Amino acid sequence: MNTTTPRNTLWQLFVLLAIGLFAAPAVATTFDPDLICTLIVNGTKINDPRACDKWIQCINDLPVNGSCAEGLFYDRESEVCLPSADVDCVSSDPCAATSNGFTADPYTCNGYYYCKNGTGTRGECNSGLNYNPSTEACIRDYPCTDKLNPDSYCNILPDGVFIKDTWNCDGWQMCWQAELVNGTCPDGYYFSASLGKCDYPQNVQCAFTEAPPQTVLPDVCPKAGTFISDNETCNGYYYCQNTTQGQMVLEHGVCSDGRFFSAANGGACVPRTDIRCDYNRCVNMGNTTIQLANLSDDGCTGFAICQNGTIIAEADCPNGEYFDELTQLCTTQVISFVACALSSESTESTTEKLIDEEISTTAAT
Ligand SMILES: *[C@@H]1O[C@H](CO)[C@@H](O)[C@H](O)[C@H]1NC(C)=O
Ligand SMILES: *[C@@H]1O[C@H](CO)[C@@H](O)[C@H](O)[C@H]1NC(C)=O
Ligand SMILES: *[C@@H]1O[C@H](CO)[C@@H](O)[C@H](O)[C@H]1NC(C)=O
Ligand SMILES: *[C@@H]1O[C@H](CO)[C@@H](O)[C@H](O)[C@H]1NC(C)=O
Ligand SMILES: *[C@@H]1O[C@H](CO)[C@@H](O)[C@H](O)[C@H]1NC(C)=O
Ligand SMILES: *[C@@H]1O[C@H](CO)[C@@H](O)[C@H](O)[C@H]1NC(C)=O
Ligand SMILES: *[C@@H]1O[C@H](CO)[C@@H](O)[C@H](O)[C@H]1NC(C)=O
Ligand SMILES: *[C@@H]1O[C@H](CO)[C@@H](O)[C@H](O)[C@H]1NC(C)=O
Ligand SMILES: *[C@@H]1O[C@H](CO)[C@@H](O)[C@H](O)[C@H]1NC(C)=O
């Protein structure tokens, strides 16, 4: 089953909470009729993947339940109820089609359910074996490559229905021969869910502020559930999420003011003075008045002049003095923040120590 030990998960959660990093909202992979009904044309009938004999009609952006008569299953393609033997039902409820007997786990290749009166008990084939639904046996190397996700659009919607893209104002998707097709409107048009076609932007309500999740190769993230730098800013990071399809999806976030991202220990937002970062250190500084920021790798003697988040000039303190970002002044006192220390000094140990301190402070309160 799940290989993450509870201790590890708890520890990670604790670190995230202690440091003020939060996981971005989960990518919607489970069936959400309330959302789907805002993305498709009024009156569309869809399959309810939680049952074989149920369907949902979207009326005025809201789902309305419907169900088939005894012995019939809903067929998403013809949009009517048919004898259950004529419908290939892929449901998120493993016992939906077989209320008594063995049936495949809809989400994995090696899992199966024993259903009794519609309630299932899960079992798993031994390592290296997959469940073969036709023989009801666990078979070595039984092919299980393109398992249809019960919650995917193409198991729910009829072919040819336009679905508004949830991440782009001008994007749409459609199932065609059970494959998902993506498209965008011509330049200057937005996709209207209620009309099911492209329209002038002034006629379409669309206010997506979040960037779309980015799918990346698995080696970009060390593992799912960690945070990595966005490699563009000092305070920006990505949260690495594993989808049920086994892809890695990145969600962008930024540290709160005064903190920079550190990739050590799975990722954390730490005070900006403790992080050496060669991207723009003026980020989030100088919004109202000019502010001064440390420069990296100069032995803490120089500073940047920040206005509205960008560097407008750089300067050095006079007479070999040190710059103190906290007081915004040059001083004769020796300053050696990790942020600006010469590169021979290590940053790693300080960051780790900092995380420990954050945890103990939080634990004490
Ligand atoms: C949506 O469809 C329902 C029934 O088909 C209809 O009564 C309703 O007026 C339609 N709503 C809009 C906004 O067209
Ligand atoms: C529709 O059916 C689903 C499950 O089949 C149920 O969870 C939901 O509450 C129903 N909605 C209404 C409005 O009855
Ligand atoms: C099966 O379930 C139905 C409805 O949930 C119930 O009425 C019936 O008694 C159950 N039968 C058995 C054998 O448990
Ligand atoms: C269509 O877009 C979805 C979501 O953005 C993506 O996961 C999928 O790979 C795309 N499919 C194609 C064929 O481009
Ligand atoms: C940023 O750079 C690091 C180190 O080169 C790399 O491991 C990471 O995947 C990069 N992040 C992104 C979002 O590409
Ligand atoms: C991602 O998820 C898939 C399926 O859910 C799993 O097989 C795989 O091991 C996961 N990968 C990581 C890095 O967690
Ligand atoms: C570098 O930045 C940190 C954090 O803002 C600050 O505390 C420190 O004073 C700065 N270093 C110098 C030399 O100003
Ligand atoms: C400065 O402005 C940026 C962009 O408007 C904002 O995100 C940031 O929170 C502001 N920082 C401060 C310290 O006000
Ligand atoms: C900085 O931003 C403020 C508010 O957005 C603006 O009024 C001001 O002109 C900007 N200053 C510069 C130099 O861009």
Side-chain angles (χ1 to χ4, degrees), residues 272 285 289-294 303-304 306 317 322-331:
R272 49 176 286 145
M285 290 185 81
T289 61
I290 283 181
Q291 282 181 300
L292 310 181
N294 284 329
F303 55 88
C306 308
C317 288
Y322 295 93
F323 174 70
D324 184 341
E325 193 179 274
L326 294 178
T327 62
Q328 297 272 297
L329 294 171
C330 291
T331 167

Side-chain angles (χ1 to χ4, degrees), residues 48 50-51 54 56 63-66:
D48 185 338
R50 298 165 296 191
K54 297 215 163 64
I56 286 165
V64 175
N65 285 343

Side-chain angles (χ1 to χ4, degrees), residues 3-4 107-108 218 221-225 241-248:
T3 53
T4 320
Y107 292 98
T108 67
C221 298
K223 62 178 184 188
Q241 252 188 332
N242 195 2
T243 65
T244 46
Q245 289 81 35
Q247 284 172 317
M248 205 61 95

Side-chain angles (χ1 to χ4, degrees), residues 5-293:
T5 65
R7 180 131 63 96
N8 194 19
T9 312
L10 256 185
W11 185 84
Q12 280 177 342
L13 180 71
F14 195 40
V15 170
L16 297 184
L17 292 176
I19 296 162
L21 257 186
F22 290 96
V27 179
T29 51
T30 50
F31 180 62
D32 182 356
D34 295 307
L35 173 65
I36 292 179
C37 282
T38 64
L39 305 175
I40 57 182
V41 148
N42 187 28
T44 308
K45 274 169 86 177
I46 65 176
N47 177 25
D48 185 338
R50 298 165 296 191
C52 293
D53 60 349
K54 297 215 163 64
W55 45 269
I56 286 165
Q57 186 168 23
C58 295
I59 295 178
N60 296 329
D61 288 348
L62 291 172
V64 175
N65 285 343
S67 56
C68 299
E70 183 80 30
L72 304 183
F73 282 180
Y74 183 76
D75 179 48
R76 76 164 179 106
E77 204 37 71
S78 58
E79 298 182 55
V80 293
C81 296
L82 297 175
S84 57
D86 299 346
V87 178
D88 191 10
C89 170
V90 178
S91 173
S92 51
D93 171 6
C95 299
T98 311
S99 61
N100 286 294
F102 285 97
T103 182
D105 177 346
Y107 292 98
T108 67
C109 291
N110 64 341
Y112 58 85
Y113 280 85
Y114 179 68
C115 300
K116 202 172 170 188
N117 204 17
T119 306
T121 313
R122 192 170 186 276
E124 213 166 73
C125 296
N126 287 334
S127 163
L129 309 180
N130 279 342
Y131 182 74
N132 176 347
S134 53
T135 63
E136 299 186 351
C138 290
I139 309 281
R140 186 164 304 280
D141 298 330
Y142 180 74
C144 171
T145 41
D146 46 351
K147 199 157 187 155
L148 186 59
N149 176 357
D151 303 320
S152 67
Y153 281 157
C154 295
N155 186 48
I156 295 173
L157 286 140
D159 276 5
V161 170
F162 286 100
I163 311 145
K164 186 173 171 59
D165 192 324
T166 46
W167 301 103
N168 296 294
C169 291
D170 62 352
W172 51 264
Q173 296 180 307
M174 176 196 282
C175 293
W176 191 246
Q177 298 183 340
E179 295 277 342
L180 194 64
V181 178
N182 296 337
T184 48
C185 295
D187 269 357
Y189 287 84
Y190 279 2
F191 190 81
S192 162
S194 58
L195 298 180
K197 61 179 192 181
C198 300
D199 196 0
Y200 296 109
Q202 58 267 31
N203 299 337
V204 179
Q205 271 200 323
C206 185
F208 298 126
T209 49
E210 257 177 299
Q214 217 181 319
T215 309
V216 292
L217 293 173
D219 60 356
V220 171
C221 298
K223 62 178 184 188
T226 56
F227 296 85
I228 57 170
S229 167
D230 67 4
N231 292 347
E232 280 175 14
T233 62
C234 291
N235 62 343
Y237 58 83
Y238 285 109
Y239 177 59
C240 298
Q241 252 188 332
N242 195 2
T243 65
T244 46
Q245 289 81 35
Q247 284 172 317
M248 205 61 95
V249 165
L250 301 184
E251 296 203 38
H252 195 253
V254 289
C255 295
S256 55
D257 283 342
R259 286 177 181 261
F260 279 176
F261 179 75
S262 158
N265 300 311
C269 288
V270 301
R272 49 176 286 145
T273 38
D274 297 306
I275 286 296
R276 146 180 244 110
C277 170
D278 294 329
Y279 306 117
N280 173 25
R281 292 191 67 93
C282 284
V283 62
N284 277 352
M285 290 185 81
N287 280 5
T288 47
T289 61
I290 283 181
Q291 282 181 300
L292 310 181

